[in-house]
Structures are given as structure tokens and as C-alpha cells.
Amino acid sequence: MWSGRQARFRPLACGVEELRRRRREREAALRKARREQHLVSKRLLREDAEGPCAAELLREVEVQQFLRLAQSGTDEKEREKALVSLRRGLQHPETQQTFIRLEGSVRTLVGLLTSNRALLQLEAARCLHELSHSEQSAVAEACLPATSYLLTYLSGHSSDFIELCLYTLGNLIVESEAVRKQLLPQGIVPALAACIQSPYVAVLEALGYVLSQLLQAKEAPEKIIPSILDSTLPQHMLRLMQPGPKLNLGVAVEFAWCLHYITCSQVNNAVLITHGALATLVLLLLDLAGTVQRVDDAGLELFFLQKQPSLLPEGLWLLNNLTANSPTFCTSLLSLDLLEPLLQLLPLSNVVCILVLTVLCNVAEKGPAYCQRLWPGPLLSCVLNTLTLSDTEVVGQSLELLQLLFLYQPEAIQDFLQQSGLQALEQHQEEAQLRDRIRALQQTAIHA
Amino acid sequence: MLFPPALCARLAGAPGAAEPLPVERDPTAGAAPFRFVPRPVRFPRDHEFFEDGDVQRHLYLQDVLTQVSEAPEKSMVPEFTCQVAGCCQVFAALEDYQHHYHMLHANTCSLCSRAFPSGHLLDIHILEWHDSLFQILAQRQDMYQCLVEGCLEKFKTSQDRKDHMVRFHLYPADFRFDKPKTSRGPAMPVAADLLARALQDDGAAMEVCSEPTALPPCTRTYNHRIPSTVCFGQGATRGFKSSKKKNKHH
């Protein structure tokens, strides 16, 4: 989170190497979880100086005592302290289980949440927030009686409280389909549509989080995305992603992910387009590109390589979709001198190489007018380099490009021969998937 | 920016795209044994293509998790009392007071002192409890609107509305902000009634904003001026008479 309140970090207790190792482990765990289709992450707003390790296991009788004190103690301060102790205890998963198994516990908590004591309300909401962090869906479902109130409070005015309610909702949503099944008829979409007009950045970021969790649900394309597209949420999301002095990155990140989940579900992207999604996103991308630090290699920063290598395939995917059936985009790619930057990307990885070659094929297949802009130039020697690689798919795509080039720009063949192109082809002529195409190219080259 | 110069010129607003180059295809292009066909590609959400991005996303969320911040420093001030009539709560931190004010006084009915969590619920309350025109109209048409934001249904009675909210919106039957109207009219002395009700349902709805009987005498032994740094939207209560109801001041 980017708000000032969260900007304070605990001093590091371990070295950089240890951090790297942990990060690699976390990354591996996340990849595994994704492949097994249960990638879930939650946010936790924890404002405790002692930190999570201090959570002691509370016994059932202690939980009961704290609850009783909080509910009917006579001294305001005592009630608050009891709830704080309960909240700390609820950081521990076992205590969470103990709590939900206690009869009337959630009911009491909800009573405190809706009481007329503001500070008790806040602490009760924090207790719910701790519960929402549980990885047991039973705990999330135990919080169902509170959801109508959490939604109601979203139209209040206390921004910290709203933020807390939002993160709690977001956590509950991701944990249990039963929770989502209740929240939708309870009006979560209109509630969010009203809340997104808040001027508070922290609230907006929290809201983006809730929405992103809702949109990731497996039933989202059928049950959730249609009503979101029908609401005013898309317009507001796009408004909050406009580049400019008011753009807040934390907020924009959340809504960008929301838009991704919506668009890749292919429910009704036309709606987004009519709201100006394309223009907004393009402008934002350009704006972000402009803030990337200068580096010496010209052109590379077009794809923010130095900072985010994983963005490259996605950028190229976009280029492919733009150029596949559009002479206009192909022409633009050439006239904007993007050819050389693209060629520089070829050596980076097989995935990137194939994508670049595909984009180049998109351009080349449009005919002689296009191929004349591909050669003469550095393209041929770059493609010859890719022929030296061993990946069959890479080589195959290079062969496709060569066929188009030879067909529409036969003068390139001489250059190909002079650069020992035939020898490069020979390397692969036994490969089953490449054999026929190699032979065809060899024939073409020899007979030119 | 080190973009290619042509791109910079375009971004700076140079004249738009040149005419696209003429397309002229040969039928042997992409013919067997070759196979290239340009086509836009779509990836479903679970596709491996998005794995890197998804992993980045979740690392980001987890990082946020581990950025445990210290307890937020509250702006401590000399103790002061809430200035709203009938409320004697004492505060020593501005954030606490702001939260208290927003939750208990920002949307309060000036006629019966009930507090509501939002302007929307307050508006409905005023309409249904304190508007005699409403009562007249309600005899002839469905006037009780559903409390759920975005639902346009209206009902003949508040009970019908409650049934709708329970069955259709899965709201709890004892939803705190939908109490049925009591038989007392606005003419009754408010304070006594508030006290009586407070004794009845301690810890229940946010409907009363004054203390229950265990009131400390509100003798001002402390500075009761609200620090000038405290500032929040429009003033405390709104009642039927002053309602340009649709004004939101926040």
C-alpha cells in the first residue's frame, strides 16, 4: 500500500541474501499454487507495534472473558482493552477456531460492531479483520452475519473505518464462495459503485483490492462481471487511471488488475471500449514509459526492460494483436522506426524471440511494399542469427519470415547467400518439423 | 526519453498516421510446407502466459502484508469533550474523536437523536418517521423503499420491506438500521425516552448518542474546546426542516 501510514517499515532483521532466498521460495510457492489453481493472497492491515509473533494462544475461557468484558464492562477503557486483547489473540489461527466455535461469539462481535461506542466499533472491526485473514473457509463463513453491516458502513464518512471494512470484505470474498453468494444479493456492487466516488486514496486502493478479489472468483465471468459491467464502476476505474498529476499508483495498480481480470474473461469487452478504456490505457502506458530511467541502449526502454522483464512478452503480444490484421499498424511500426528496437529484443529469450518474429511476419505478409522496408537493413543478419539457435519453434518462425521475405523482396536472397545463409539452413535439415520448409527455402535460394 | 525520433515526433503531435502502405499478397505466401497466418491471439485467464504477471501480483500483495507498520501515532491532545449536545464522551486523540464524530454525529436525526451510519439511511429515517406527508401517501401507494443501495423496490409497509430485504437481499432479520417505528411520537420528551430505551438494549443499535444511566456528571474539569485542527464536513445534525436532503457535504 502506498499511503503514508503504511510507509513505515520494520528494520530488517536479516541480510539481503536471506531476503533473496525467501523471495525465491515465495515465488516458487506462488507458481505452484497457480498451477494448482488456488492462488490466493490477502492483505492484512495490522497496526500492532509488537508484530504478529506476539500472538499468544488464548484458551476458550479467556476468549469468553474478553468477550464478556467487552460487551458489558462498566468502564469504557476496560471494554476497549478487552477487545484489543481479543484482537491480538485472534492473530493466532487456533484462537480463531476457538472463537468461532464459542456460541454467540460472532453475534456479540457484531453487536459491538454496531454499537454506539465508536472505539469499540473500531476494535470490533479489527477483530473481524483478523478473522478474515484465516485460511479456513469455515472462519470466513462464520463472519457472514457481519457482511450486511460492513457493506452499510461503506457509505459512511470515516475513511479509516471504511478502509478496514473494505480489506475485511476483500479477504472474506477470496476465501469462500458462500460469502460471495451472500454479498452479491446484499448489494456489494452498488455499494462499491457508491464508494468509488470517495476522495480518499486509501479507500480507493482498498476498494480496488476488493474488486480484484471479486473478479478473480471462478464464477466471476457468469455471476459477477456482467453486473460490474452494468454498473458505473468501469467508468470510475478508468477515470482513476487517467495519467496526470492526480494519478495514484497504488490505486491504479489495483484497478489495472481489475481490468485485466475483466478483459481476459471475455464477457463484454465492447463495454470497456465504449468507456474509452483503450485511450486511457494507452495514454497511461506511454506516461509510465516516460518515467522509466534513461539507459544507454536506445529503444529498449520502449518495453521497460530494465525494470520489468516480464512485461516484454505481454507488450509483444499486444503488438501481435495490433499488427496481425492491420496494414495501418504495420505501416506505423515501420514509419515510427520500431524495427530496430524490435530486432534488439531477439536474443533475449525464446519466448520473446518467437513473438518478435511473429510480429515481423505480420508485417512481411502484407506484401512487397512492406518487405521493401524490411530489407535492406539489419533484419536479415538478425534472422540468420536466430537460425543458429536450437529451439525448433524459434527456427520454424524464422523460416516463415524468410519465405515471405524471399517471396516479396527477392533481392534479399543474394544477401542471404552472401551471409552464408545456406549453411545456416543446413544445420536443421534433419529436424522433422523443419525439414520440408528448409528444403523449400534452399530451392528458392539456389534458383534465384 | 530515448524513444526513436519518429515516435517522439508522433507523440509530440505531429500529423497523424501516414496512409498505410498498399497490401499485395501472393497466393503462395504461407502455402505448404509453410504455414504462417497472421492472427490475433486471446489467452484465457488461467493460461500459462499470465503466470509471471500473476506471480508478480501476488508477491506485491504479500509484500504489503509483511510491511508491518507500527501502531499509527495518534495525535495526542489535552483531553476534551465532544461538544455535541447530550454527548459527554472524552477524547485524548484527534483520530478517535474524528471517528466518534463520523460514526455518531455526522448523520444524526435532529428530531429524535438517532444516529445512522450514512446519509442515505438518515434520509430514509426522516422520511418514514418524521414526515407526515409520507404517512398520508403511504396509505395510497408503496412508499417504503428498500434500504439496499441500488435496489429500487418499494413496499406498502415496513414489514413487507423487511421481508424483501431478508428474502431477496439476505439481510439479517434483526438488521439494526431497520427498526420498526415505535409508537411514541416526536412530542415525547426525548431525553427520558432515550434513557429508557438505552436501558433496554445496551450494546444494540446506534440509535442513541447519549450515555446510558451510568453517566458521570458532566462537570467540566477539563478543557472542552475542540482543537481547531479537527475539521470535518458539514455540521452535526440534520432534521426534517433543514433538509435540502440531497446535499452531501463530503
Side-chain angles (χ1 to χ4, degrees):
Chain A
M1 283 176 276
W2 302 65
S3 57
R5 177 159 69 90
Q6 268 72 29
R8 280 171 290 206
F9 291 72
R10 277 230 299 259
L12 292 179
C14 50
V16 169
E17 204 39 61
E18 173 67 13
L19 277 180
R20 282 209 191 107
R21 188 189 64 78
R22 278 195 207 159
R23 190 182 173 87
R24 278 195 296 270
E25 273 175 15
R26 277 162 54 206
E27 204 175 308
L30 286 171
R31 286 187 196 278
K32 180 163 183 287
R34 188 184 190 275
R35 284 173 201 159
E36 293 165 8
Q37 309 223 323
H38 53 78
L39 189 56
V40 166
S41 292
K42 298 185 182 183
R43 286 197 167 191
L44 182 67
L45 289 176
R46 214 174 246 156
E47 299 173 1
D48 205 340
E50 288 104 70
C53 340
E56 270 178 31
L57 195 52
L58 292 180
R59 289 170 294 135
E60 179 174 308
V61 67
E62 289 170 299
V63 173
Q64 267 175 329
Q65 265 169 2
F66 287 138
L67 263 178
R68 211 174 294 134
L69 248 181
Q71 182 182 29
S72 34
T74 44
D75 180 39
E76 178 85 15
K77 289 281 172 231
E78 287 297 315
R79 295 176 75 182
E80 214 186 306
K81 265 172 43 183
L83 256 190
V84 170
S85 305
L86 178 62
R87 192 236 313 159
R88 292 216 184 102
L90 286 174
Q91 290 173 12
H92 201 298
E94 269 189 57
T95 311
Q96 291 169 355
Q97 293 289 338
T98 308
F99 180 84
I100 63 166
R101 275 187 253 120
L102 259 183
E103 191 176 323
S105 57
V106 173
R107 188 173 172 74
T108 305
L109 201 56
V110 171
L112 290 162
L113 180 69
T114 56
S115 72
N116 61 353
R117 322 303 307 172
L119 296 181
L120 289 179
Q121 258 187 356
L122 203 44
E123 277 306 323
R126 291 194 182 123
C127 288
L128 273 171
H129 185 73
E130 290 294 343
L131 287 170
S132 78
H133 196 61
S134 164
E135 285 165 14
Q136 312 271 337
S137 54
V139 176
E141 281 153 30
C143 297
L144 280 169
T147 59
S148 60
Y149 297 108
L150 291 173
L151 285 179
T152 304
Y153 288 139
L154 295 186
S155 46
H157 302 294
S158 175
S159 67
D160 284 350
F161 193 65
I162 295 175
E163 192 189 347
L164 186 58
C165 292
L166 283 169
Y167 280 117
T168 306
L169 282 167
N171 291 343
L172 292 175
I173 281 169
V174 81
E175 202 55 63
S176 151
E177 186 172 358
V179 168
R180 301 192 290 267
K181 271 209 172 107
Q182 176 165 293
L183 281 173
L184 287 165
Q186 282 184 344
I188 186 169
V189 175
L192 292 176
C195 193
I196 201 171
Q197 300 175 59
S198 165
Y200 298 105
V201 158
V203 167
L204 293 172
E205 196 179 329
L207 194 150
Y209 171 70
V210 173
L211 210 43
S212 75
Q213 299 294 47
L214 208 51
L215 290 165
Q216 276 187 90
K218 61 173 171 20
E219 75 275 14
E222 306 93 56
K223 306 245 172 77
I224 301 175
I225 294 181
S227 38
I228 288 189
L229 287 173
D230 275 340
S231 76
T232 57
L233 281 167
Q235 289 138 259
H236 286 296
M237 279 197 268
L238 289 169
R239 170 180 60 83
L240 291 164
M241 292 176 70
Q242 298 285 341
K246 290 212 226 125
L247 178 71
N248 179 281
L249 278 183
V251 172
V253 162
E254 298 305 313
F255 290 133
W257 279 99
C258 292
L259 284 174
H260 162 64
Y261 296 132
I262 294 176
T263 52
C264 69
S265 303
Q266 306 287 352
V267 171
N268 190 354
N269 291 336
V271 169
L272 290 176
I273 295 179
T274 51
H275 287 310
L278 276 176
T280 302
L281 293 172
V282 166
L283 287 172
L284 182 56
L285 203 55
L286 289 172
D287 190 65
L288 291 171
T291 64
V292 169
Q293 282 172 358
R294 289 165 166 263
V295 287
D296 290 331
D297 317 41
L300 284 182
E301 66 275 25
L302 183 63
F303 303 106
F304 327 116
L305 236 205
Q306 265 62 24
K307 303 293 173 194
Q308 291 291 341
S310 56
L311 278 181
L312 204 42
E314 305 204 5
L316 291 167
W317 169 39
L318 172 61
L319 262 182
N320 173 71
N321 286 5
L322 287 174
T323 52
N325 293 321
S326 168
T328 309
F329 273 111
C330 289
T331 306
S332 297
L333 194 148
L334 295 166
S335 64
L336 292 174
D337 303 326
L338 292 176
L339 193 54
E340 288 224 31
L342 275 175
L343 292 174
Q344 287 176 22
L345 300 174
L346 282 168
L348 289 174
S349 75
N350 285 342
V351 169
V352 169
C353 191
I354 292 170
L355 285 167
V356 172
L357 288 169
T358 308
V359 171
L360 293 172
C361 285
N362 286 348
V363 175
E365 72 87 33
K366 305 278 182 296
Y370 294 80
C371 284
Q372 281 159 21
R373 305 281 287 269
L374 296 179
W375 186 91
L379 182 135
L380 192 54
S381 47
C382 288
V383 177
L384 283 167
N385 283 339
T386 63
L387 281 180
T388 65
L389 296 172
S390 55
D391 185 280
T392 311
E393 227 189 307
V394 169
V395 174
Q397 201 63 39
S398 313
L399 299 177
E400 299 287 337
L401 182 55
L402 283 174
Q403 193 238 359
L404 294 166
L405 195 59
F406 289 177
L407 183 59
Y408 293 131
Q409 183 67 321
E411 292 93 333
I413 299 177
Q414 272 310 309
D415 193 2
F416 172 80
L417 292 169
Q418 278 166 9
Q419 292 192 52
S420 316
L422 284 176
Q423 287 87 318
L425 287 178
E426 267 164 36
Q427 284 178 268
H428 302 285
Q429 62 190 9
E430 298 311 314
E431 178 65 51
Q433 286 191 50
L434 303 171
R435 194 183 319 168
D436 294 336
R437 289 181 281 178
I438 295 221
R439 212 162 287 154
L441 282 176
Q442 285 167 332
Q443 292 299 308
T444 310
I446 292 167
H447 290 134
Chain B
M1 276 195 299
L2 293 175
F3 286 147
L7 184 53
C8 288
R10 176 72 60 80
L11 292 174
E19 272 297 303
L21 295 166
V23 176
E24 201 186 315
R25 292 191 178 94
D26 186 303
T28 61
F34 296 94
R35 49 185 107 140
F36 177 74
V37 176
R39 58 168 65 91
V41 173
R42 283 183 175 169
F43 295 113
R45 185 199 311 187
D46 293 330
H47 198 280
E48 197 185 5
F49 187 77
F50 294 130
E51 184 178 297
D52 278 353
D54 281 348
V55 167
Q56 290 295 319
R57 164 60 170 169
H58 286 273
L59 280 174
Y60 170 83
L61 286 180
Q62 285 183 355
D63 273 345
V64 161
L65 251 176
T66 58
Q67 283 168 21
V68 177
S69 59
E70 290 144 20
E73 282 160 24
K74 294 192 181 178
S75 322
M76 303 307 285
V77 292
E79 276 192 348
F80 63 94
T81 325
C82 179
Q83 286 296 283
V84 174
C87 181
C88 290
Q89 285 203 31
V90 176
F91 300 91
L94 292 181
E95 290 82 358
D96 291 347
Y97 181 52
Q98 283 184 330
H99 181 67
H100 161 86
Y101 185 89
H102 280 133
M103 297 305 288
L104 292 182
H105 301 313
N107 295 292
T108 305
C109 178
S110 61
L111 294 164
C112 65
S113 300
R114 276 182 177 75
F116 293 87
S118 68
H120 173 66
L121 288 174
L122 172 61
D123 287 344
I124 293 179
H125 160 82
I126 291 170
L127 198 60
E128 295 176 8
W129 286 52
H130 303 299
D131 184 345
S132 33
L133 182 59
F134 177 90
Q135 298 303 328
I136 295 168
L137 287 174
Q139 288 161 17
R140 283 190 252 134
Q141 62 197 65
D142 294 343
M143 293 287 289
Y144 288 89
Q145 46 180 303
C146 178
L147 298 182
V148 173
E149 187 115 32
C151 180
L152 301 172
E153 295 288 326
K154 292 195 176 178
F155 301 88
K156 195 146 182 48
T157 67
S158 66
Q159 186 58 45
D160 288 345
R161 180 209 13 232
K162 178 181 284 296
D163 289 340
H164 162 81
M165 284 176 61
V166 169
R167 266 183 289 119
F168 191 77
H169 294 296
L170 307 185
Y171 263 56
D174 62 350
F175 187 62
R176 316 273 176 168
F177 308 119
D178 184 26
K179 296 269 170 152
K181 190 171 176 177
T182 55
S183 52
R184 73 171 180 88
M188 268 177 84
V190 168
D193 181 62
L194 281 177
L195 240 32
R197 285 174 51 258
L199 285 172
Q200 253 177 3
D201 54 6
D202 172 52
M206 278 170 36
E207 293 173 350
V208 292
C209 72
S210 54
E211 300 264 358
T213 39
L215 260 184
C218 287
T219 52
R220 316 285 189 206
T221 56
Y222 26 72
N223 183 348
H224 59 259
R225 283 200 356 244
I226 299 170
S228 56
T229 45
V230 173
C231 165
F232 27 66
Q234 182 63 8
T237 63
R238 280 186 290 140
F240 175 53
K241 292 212 169 60
S242 63
S243 60
K244 295 272 191 261
K245 280 178 233 165
K246 298 310 163 205
N247 277 352
K248 299 289 180 207
H249 301 288
H250 298 271

